[in-house]
Amino acid sequence: MEILPEDLQLYLDTHIDAEPEALQKINRDTYLKVLKPHMLSGHYQGRLLSMLSKMISPKRILEIGTFTGYATICLAEGLTEDGFIDTIEVNPELEETLRGNFSLTNVEKKIRLHIGPAAAVIADFDDQPFDLVFIDADKKNNLLYFDLILEKVRPGGLIIIDNVLWKGKVYGDASDTDTKLIRELNDSIAANPQVEKLILPVRDGVLLIRKR
């Protein structure tokens, strides 16, 4: 869902860098072949992720929730020459699609795909800190993932969480379980003195968090 008015979003989309050819194909194929294609980051958010990654030139990135790999590729664009991204996808049925999508790009060798539950995969990582983390997985566990990775992020590192405006429901009267959990996430991070935080009204809401 787009939070911004359609005409404003269209204006923004036409005043950013073009969508790379490989990402155009992944975008198109996702909508043709995969369930819930709206979960894909898309052109505008993808360029935001790419820009943020390039601004900090990370050596190590963690992504929780790969889906069809669109955001993975965007984040990998900013990696240092010897950098890499660990990306975690719980659905094994997407593995073949993901490896095919990554092969379309020049960042394929910088991507390390992990299939399995995110909490278990994270527990197996070494103590080398991450420079950038992107959380875009099952929303009910966002706060758990944040708590698990906060100590694994270097001071000054960036954590990005997607869908924090939840179709506008978090600032309305909705009382369903998912909305309550995302409000809890936002409120918890807003009150956390270990981090600086800022919500951007991009697509369904992007929360930027900088570890102090």
Side-chain angles (χ1 to χ4, degrees), residues 125-157:
F125 286 138
D126 58 32
D127 294 330
Q128 189 70 24
F130 291 102
D131 303 297
L132 172 60
V133 176
F134 180 47
I135 301 175
D136 187 17
D138 51 319
K139 309 311 170 190
K140 66 182 179 181
N141 285 316
N142 275 354
L143 187 54
L144 169 64
Y145 298 145
F146 173 79
D147 289 339
L148 286 174
I149 59 90
L150 183 58
E151 295 307 313
K152 296 180 181 291
V153 175
R154 67 165 173 82

Side-chain angles (χ1 to χ4, degrees), residues 53 61 71-80 85 107 110-111:
S53 183
I61 301 175
T72 317
I73 295 163
C74 295
L75 291 165
E77 291 174 2
L79 283 165
T80 59
I85 177 170
V107 294
K110 295 185 175 186
I111 300 172

Side-chain angles (χ1 to χ4, degrees), residues 76-92:
E77 291 174 2
L79 283 165
T80 59
E81 190 64 31
D82 59 344
F84 58 89
I85 177 170
D86 286 294
T87 184
I88 307 170
E89 174 53 47
V90 71
N91 184 359

Side-chain angles (χ1 to χ4, degrees), residues 154-193:
R154 67 165 173 82
L158 185 64
I159 303 168
I160 307 170
I161 306 179
D162 200 12
N163 303 110
V164 296
L165 293 180
W166 202 235
K167 306 169 188 175
K169 294 166 72 174
V170 292
Y171 50 87
D173 298 325
S175 58
D176 59 277
T177 300
D178 287 342
T179 302
K180 288 180 178 179
L181 287 171
I182 292 174
R183 283 197 192 110
E184 180 185 355
L185 168 78
N186 293 343
D187 291 346
S188 176
I189 293 173
N192 190 326

